[in-house]
Amino acid sequence: MVLLSPGFSMPRTTLTSIADDLASRGYVVASVDHTYESVGTAFPGGRTLTCVACQRVETKEERAAVVRGRVKDMSFVISELTKGRQAGALSHVIDPSRIGIGGHSIGGATAAATMTADRRVRAGVDLDGDFFVLPAAAGLGGRPFMMLGAESTHSPSSLSTDWPEAWKHLNGWKRWLTVVGAEHFSFTDLPYLAGQLGLSDPAIPLSGERGWYITRDYVSAFFDLHLRGISQPLLDGPKATHPEVAFQQP
């Protein structure tokens, strides 16, 4: 099973393409909306809650508090789907020893923090998100983790990112990948959908479609390697098929 956490104020539907692709490969995928953090979270019965946190979260410390709250959400979802009230129909298809997590932006920070707090999660992916909770990415205990982000903001020379600190704390299998021409939302469905509507941003060199393919290829390779034990040469180093992707070794 793979859990997915979206960016701050974003609905889970911004990661639909990744969810669909992983499901097509045989994963149970749980994409999570975080109540009061999304612009609109709909519940059965028609009740819709808005993003109350959008008006209250500004500082890094407040974003760290958001991450800690999300960790509780993710652990709750794991418990519900493996042994709780929702486990009935899924208990025979979920292997509780093979659970992964990924997220975009603050959802990536949530992935790392959930792994620190919940040993049931075996591997994690951060898509272009800083970590906020300090020390960054500490406490994973050697479990595999991959960071995939925009070259302009998440390279080793970038001044505003905490990825260098996170890299030092990751002591298991790890990858730091950056994508030339990408921007923050290149790892979600938004640029691809904008392109379909003729709303592509000419200031972003990487097309929405190409961003989607890169994200799909590396995320699926990561989980296939670490949850299913399938060899993935794509993760061994730079590939001519993906010239935009650089393997960072700070």
Side-chain angles (χ1 to χ4, degrees), residues 13 15 29 32 37-38 64 77 87 168 179 189 193-194 212 231 245 248:
T13 48
L15 301 177
V29 182
V32 180
E37 290 180 36
S38 169
V77 171
K168 292 187 295 184
V179 183
D189 291 357
L193 293 174
W212 148 239
S231 177
V245 180
Q248 304 293 346

Side-chain angles (χ1 to χ4, degrees), residues 28 79-84 86-96:
V28 173
S79 295
E80 283 293 292
L81 294 181
T82 56
K83 59 183 180 181
Q86 306 299 321
L90 296 173
S91 59
H92 68 290
V93 295
I94 295 176
D95 182 346

Side-chain angles (χ1 to χ4, degrees), residues 186 188 190-193 195 200 206-213:
S186 294
T188 73
L190 296 181
Y192 181 78
L193 293 174
S200 297
L206 189 72
S207 72
E209 183 175 15
R210 185 59 181 163
W212 148 239
Y213 280 117

Side-chain angles (χ1 to χ4, degrees), residues 13-81:
T13 48
T14 54
L15 301 177
T16 295
S17 295
I18 297 175
D20 283 351
D21 179 73
L22 290 171
S24 75
R25 299 171 189 270
Y27 292 94
V28 173
V29 182
S31 187
V32 180
D33 270 328
H34 299 279
T35 307
Y36 297 116
E37 290 180 36
S38 169
V39 291
T41 303
F43 287 82
R47 186 167 60 118
T48 301
L49 300 180
T50 59
C51 186
V52 176
C54 289
Q55 310 301 320
R56 302 180 180 179
V57 176
E58 296 180 359
T59 67
K60 288 186 177 181
E61 291 77 13
E62 289 166 340
R63 292 187 181 275
V66 168
V67 172
R68 295 187 187 98
R70 286 189 175 206
V71 168
K72 296 177 182 178
D73 290 348
M74 304 311 269
S75 288
F76 173 79
V77 171
I78 293 172
S79 295
E80 283 293 292
L81 294 181

Side-chain angles (χ1 to χ4, degrees), residues 189-244:
D189 291 357
L190 296 181
Y192 181 78
L193 293 174
Q196 299 301 301
L197 296 171
L199 300 174
S200 297
D201 187 345
I204 301 173
L206 189 72
S207 72
E209 183 175 15
R210 185 59 181 163
W212 148 239
Y213 280 117
I214 290 171
T215 305
R216 177 203 65 180
D217 290 349
Y218 283 91
V219 170
S220 63
F222 175 83
F223 286 123
D224 276 353
L225 174 62
H226 295 294
L227 298 185
R228 306 172 83 175
I230 303 172
S231 177
Q232 299 294 326
L234 182 66
L235 299 175
D236 292 340
K239 294 290 184 290
T241 55
H242 296 74
E244 308 91 340

